[in-house]
Every structure is written in structure tokens, then in C-alpha cells.
Amino acid sequence: MARIVYITGGCRSGKSAFAQKQAEKHSGSLLYVATAEVRDAEMADRVDKHQIARGERWQCLEEPVVLSEKIPPAVGDCSAVLIDCLTLWLSNLLEKYGEDDAKILQEAESLIESLCHLDTTIYIVSNEVGSGIVPENYLARRFRDLAGLLNQTFAEAADEAWLVASGLPLKLK
């Protein structure tokens, strides 16, 4: 049975670094699940820096959409999995499913279900996007609302939840 640890915070809050440090406390190999797609040079540079920071213990699964199908067979004997991040995954789902919010939320439920059957610790990173002003355009408001729903769903399913602000982790549950 999996142990799910949900970690949220604002952009550049230190949540990914915190998640990585927690995962690296486990012995053996580790799996990093990258939901970002490299679409420009700046993103390629970010990915390169993250890969160097992770080191050789980490295997990497690059999957922008179909996490519930791709993660279970990739876990193998990894002692921990780090999924980074749900909000980038949500962007990819919005691109794939358009206005079909029900399909997006179904993908989230499918992912949680598939993770619960794994025999490892899973760290899930997501951005907390609802603390600012209400966006002026429909797509941004929709993204914010869906991100909030996804965050609530994953936080509820998690065994442990953390908020990271200014590099400082605060245990929520």
C-alpha cells in the first residue's frame, strides 16, 4: 500500500527541493515523474539543471498526460516516487481535453487510484495558485479553479500534506 505525501506552495517556494530531500531519505533508486514538456530553450535549461541536481540515484519518467497508466509500470523497485508537478499536468490536461472538466477530474481520480496500489512512498508536488487576485480572463480563472479542486482532491487522499513558503515547510496533516 502506498504512502502519499502531498506538498504544495507558491511558485519558487522551495516545495520541489523539499520534496526531493524527503524522497532522498529513502534508500535505493528513486523515480522522478516529470510532467513538463520542453517547448523552448529556457525550459530545456531548467530541465538540465534539475536533472543535474537530482543525481544518479534518480530514474526519470517524462509523461505530460497519462500518469495513471505510465507510473505503475515505471516504479519497479524504486523506494520513492516524486511527481513534479500537478499544475503542469493540469495545463497538459486542459490542452488535451479542452472544456471537458469532468474528464480532467476523472484523470485525477484515476491517478489517485493507481497510486494507492503501489508499494512505495509517493511525493506529489503542486502549486498553490488560489492565494492571489481573481484572474481577469476565463481560461486563467478556470485553471485556478481546477487547480484548487485537484489540490483539494490530492491533499485529501494523501497520508501527509505540507505547505512550503519561503523555503520553510509547514506540516498540514
Side-chain angles (χ1 to χ4, degrees):
M1 181 105 167
R3 180 172 165 265
I4 298 175
V5 180
Y6 171 80
I7 301 165
T8 191
C11 294
R12 295 303 209 197
S13 64
K15 62 193 173 297
S16 293
F18 174 72
Q20 181 176 329
K21 285 178 188 171
Q22 296 305 302
E24 288 175 344
K25 291 179 181 179
H26 297 265
S27 61
S29 60
L30 306 166
L31 177 64
Y32 182 87
V33 180
T35 60
E37 291 184 288
V38 177
R39 296 183 180 183
D40 58 37
E42 186 269 340
M43 184 57 96
D45 185 52
R46 282 177 181 253
V47 168
D48 289 344
K49 287 177 182 172
H50 281 285
Q51 288 173 340
I52 291 167
R54 283 194 303 271
E56 294 181 14
R57 286 183 59 203
W58 289 92
Q59 301 171 33
C60 185
L61 169 64
E62 295 178 2
E63 178 50 52
V65 177
V66 205
L67 299 182
S68 63
E69 294 176 19
K70 301 291 178 136
I71 293 174
V75 170
D77 64 351
C78 291
S79 60
V81 176
L82 170 53
I83 302 171
D84 198 359
C85 79
L86 286 185
T87 42
L88 279 172
W89 180 56
L90 173 59
S91 294
N92 300 333
L93 292 173
L94 282 166
E95 189 173 51
K96 179 176 181 177
Y97 295 119
E99 296 288 319
D100 194 347
D101 290 359
K103 184 64 177 162
I104 292 169
L105 296 173
Q106 180 184 6
E107 287 284 346
E109 292 294 339
S110 293
L111 177 56
I112 291 169
E113 178 68 24
S114 70
L115 295 177
C116 286
H117 295 290
L118 298 175
D119 189 26
T120 191
T121 301
I122 302 152
Y123 297 89
I124 302 173
V125 174
S126 188
N127 287 290
E128 181 56 54
V129 298
S131 298
I133 61 171
V134 176
E136 70 177 43
N137 70 74
Y138 167 73
L139 181 58
R141 285 190 304 274
R142 188 164 160 253
F143 175 82
R144 181 217 44 203
D145 292 349
L146 283 169
L149 288 173
L150 255 63
N151 286 344
Q152 290 177 53
T153 301
F154 279 86
E156 182 179 332
D159 300 291
E160 198 173 302
W162 294 82
L163 170 67
V164 180
S166 302
L168 301 173
L170 174 66
K171 190 170 186 177
L172 302 175
K173 120 179 182 179

